[in-house]
Amino acid sequence: MNDQLPMQIRSRRSHNKSRAGCQNCKKRRVKCDEKKPHCTKCVRHSIECDFASPAASTSPDPTRRFRFRPSKYQPGSRTSSPSTRTEAVTSSAASASTGVQCDLAGSALSGGISFADLKLYHHFVTSTYKTLADEKVDHKRVWSHHVPQWGISFPSIMHLILALSALHLAHEDPASRTQFIAQADDHFTFGVRSVSAVLCLLNTENCQLIYMSAALICLVYFGRGPRRGEYLVFSDIGRSEWLILLHGVHSIVSQNHDRVFTGVLEPIPDDSIGGVSDELQAELDEHLQQVQQVQAFILSHVTDETSRSLFAAAINDLLSAFEEVYKMRSAGKDGICLMHLVVGWVYRLRAEMISLLEQKDRYALILFGHWSILLVYQRSSWLMQGWDAHVLHGVRTSLGEEDQQWLAWPIQVIEGEVPTHSTSKL
């Protein structure tokens, strides 16, 4: 029996093992197709392939040790002299942690992830994610589980959640704001750059990831805070940066709606949302009455039938937005929970209305000023603080003196002269 055993063992098929793969694939221990000047896997993950560099080494280093990359966000690293920075890096390398490669698959950060980045990632998965959704209704754990997990393999999402985390820390720790803002800006730049690189590769497999990247870009923009001369839909000079970002989200969704909003991103109805409470009904009625007065004023002055239809649709949608917001508030929800309703009105505006706002049309500005009231009820979110007053300021400075009276109600609400009932804080 033992004599027959060797005859039963099949010999292993011989093959040639390639050692010419790119360094990114080698570090991730995946097969590289060795396409030049960029291998397929590097293109898919939007990272720089070392095949594009003529100095790239093709021979593996069996003795290589991986270290945590020194953080350029260390105090003084941005202002110190080159010689000082070199000495600091040399000194830190001597005591760097070794033996474990802390390198996120598909990350564009060559050399691994820094301690500063690990701190941001930890803050996101323990704190920041809680400020982005109502955990009570996030049954699929989109923000607590799936988004951080997607970031591991999709660099756009990783950079953007690190940017969002840095902005959250800047909000919580004003003394270190400068440092955290610098981190946020750097990661935001990488995030936008990497998602731009894969937009042309939009397909069924990555449409949810690209959509989430675009949504995160908009959130980072809000979290960065109001910028002088930029008022979301219009600006003092040129097109609004945020509107361009929002149109990017709109384009992705319009082409892939059913593929985006499926699986973990499929909307789940919130059974806690009912009607408007008796406590808030009078407050809502006052808002509706004010918007209806604006409606009567605009439609009495706009005579072109096409323009009348355009304004009528936008005003009716705004009235509906107020009602939906007050239903949410009646259920004890505000802040980030209202984002889809508040931003949804701008998202649905027709291109002609957007054009009127960019041209600073008097009627469009008056209507936009009343929309800014809805931003008041998002103040409890750190992302949205200051935006209501900022947008209204842009409207006031762009509107002629003869029309300032039509902003009296938004001014009273936003400046606190009209009391509003507070709800939950997220």
Side-chain angles (χ1 to χ4, degrees):
M1 189 72 175
N2 291 337
D3 294 336
Q4 298 177 357
L5 184 60
M7 300 296 295
Q8 297 174 353
I9 299 177
R10 295 182 179 180
S11 61
R12 183 178 180 181
R13 179 183 298 176
S14 61
H15 65 282
N16 296 324
K17 183 176 182 180
S18 172
R19 298 183 181 275
C22 76
Q23 293 301 317
N24 289 327
C25 290
K26 289 178 181 179
K27 285 194 297 182
R28 297 175 58 233
R29 296 184 178 181
V30 296
K31 181 175 178 58
C32 179
D33 61 9
E34 302 175 22
K35 287 186 178 180
K36 306 291 180 64
H38 305 280
C39 79
T40 301
K41 286 187 170 56
C42 285
V43 171
R44 182 179 301 165
H45 291 293
S46 305
I47 58 178
E48 185 176 353
C49 184
D50 56 343
F51 284 158
S53 172
S57 172
T58 58
S59 59
D61 179 5
T63 62
R64 181 180 178 185
R65 303 291 297 278
F66 294 98
R67 302 176 183 273
F68 286 99
R69 176 170 54 86
S71 172
K72 65 180 178 179
Y73 306 115
Q74 295 292 338
S77 63
R78 289 178 174 265
T79 57
S80 58
S81 65
S83 61
T84 303
R85 287 197 295 267
T86 302
E87 293 173 2
V89 171
T90 304
S91 174
S92 63
S95 58
S97 300
T98 60
V100 178
Q101 178 187 7
C102 187
D103 184 19
L104 297 177
S107 174
L109 298 173
S110 62
I113 187 169
S114 72
F115 278 121
D117 294 338
L118 284 175
K119 177 180 179 180
L120 295 181
Y121 188 75
H122 176 265
H123 185 73
F124 184 89
V125 298
T126 58
S127 181
T128 303
Y129 86 87
K130 298 178 182 179
T131 69
L132 304 178
D134 184 353
E135 285 191 279
K136 296 179 181 178
V137 297
D138 187 18
H139 303 298
K140 297 182 180 179
R141 300 169 62 202
V142 173
W143 291 101
S144 62
H145 177 76
H146 293 287
V147 170
Q149 186 67 32
W150 289 342
I152 299 296
S153 58
F154 201 72
S156 305
I157 291 179
M158 176 56 70
H159 282 298
L160 292 167
I161 66 176
L162 295 183
L164 206 54
S165 177
L167 291 173
H168 188 213
L169 282 166
H171 172 77
E172 293 188 332
D173 183 10
S176 302
R177 177 176 173 81
T178 301
Q179 171 193 343
F180 289 128
I181 290 296
Q183 288 179 267
D185 288 347
D186 282 349
H187 281 297
F188 181 71
T189 299
F190 280 115
V192 172
R193 183 182 301 168
S194 57
V195 75
S196 299
V198 297
L199 275 175
C200 60
L201 304 175
L202 185 66
N203 55 41
T204 304
E205 294 182 359
N206 64 19
C207 63
Q208 285 189 322
L209 302 179
I210 294 177
Y211 163 76
M212 184 56 68
S213 299
L216 282 165
I217 288 173
C218 290
L219 291 178
V220 172
Y221 186 91
F222 278 124
R224 189 62 169 80
R227 305 180 187 189
R228 180 178 298 179
E230 285 272 339
Y231 305 107
L232 295 183
V233 180
F234 65 94
S235 67
D236 289 343
I237 302 176
R239 297 200 65 192
S240 161
E241 183 180 354
W242 179 79
L243 188 62
I244 295 173
L245 299 175
L246 187 66
H247 281 170
V249 177
H250 190 284
S251 176
I252 295 168
V253 172
S254 63
Q255 298 176 39
N256 304 273
H257 184 276
D258 293 339
R259 292 187 291 179
V260 169
F261 297 108
T262 187
V264 297
L265 295 185
E266 183 178 1
I268 299 177
D270 187 349
D271 296 333
S272 68
I273 307 301
V276 179
S277 65
D278 294 338
E279 182 183 17
L280 294 178
Q281 186 63 55
E283 190 177 302
L284 171 61
D285 290 342
E286 185 65 33
H287 287 313
L288 298 180
Q289 182 180 348
Q290 294 291 334
V291 175
Q292 287 165 353
Q293 289 178 10
V294 169
Q295 181 181 40
F297 168 68
I298 293 176
L299 296 183
S300 66
H301 285 74
V302 177
T303 56
D304 177 72
E305 195 59 38
T306 302
S307 298
R308 284 174 59 86
S309 175
L310 181 68
F311 276 103
I315 294 170
N316 288 332
D317 196 25
L318 183 59
L319 291 169
S320 297
F322 268 100
E323 292 180 349
E324 293 303 316
V325 164
Y326 268 78
K327 289 178 182 178
M328 294 282 287
R329 296 187 66 220
S330 297
K333 302 177 185 293
D334 59 11
I336 200 68
C337 296
L338 306 180
M339 181 70 80
H340 66 292
L341 298 174
V342 178
V343 174
W345 182 77
V346 179
Y347 182 87
R348 292 186 296 272
L349 283 178
R350 288 168 55 181
E352 296 87 347
M353 182 62 71
I354 295 293
S355 179
L356 289 175
L357 283 167
E358 292 177 332
Q359 298 168 28
K360 298 180 175 58
D361 173 84
R362 60 186 296 211
Y363 305 118
L365 286 173
I366 292 171
L367 186 59
F368 193 57
H370 282 72
W371 169 81
S372 66
I373 292 173
L374 294 177
L375 294 172
V376 171
Y377 308 116
Q378 290 199 271
R379 284 178 181 172
S380 61
S381 169
W382 66 274
L383 289 165
M384 304 304 297
Q385 292 179 8
W387 279 102
D388 51 352
H390 179 73
V391 170
L392 182 59
H393 171 75
V395 173
R396 295 177 70 177
T397 55
S398 302
L399 201 60
E401 187 65 33
E402 70 278 8
D403 291 320
Q404 292 291 327
Q405 58 177 320
W406 288 102
L407 296 179
W409 181 248
I411 292 172
Q412 290 181 56
V413 175
I414 290 175
E415 293 186 353
E417 297 178 18
V418 176
T420 59
H421 293 85
S422 62
T423 56
S424 66
K425 304 299 180 185
L426 183 61

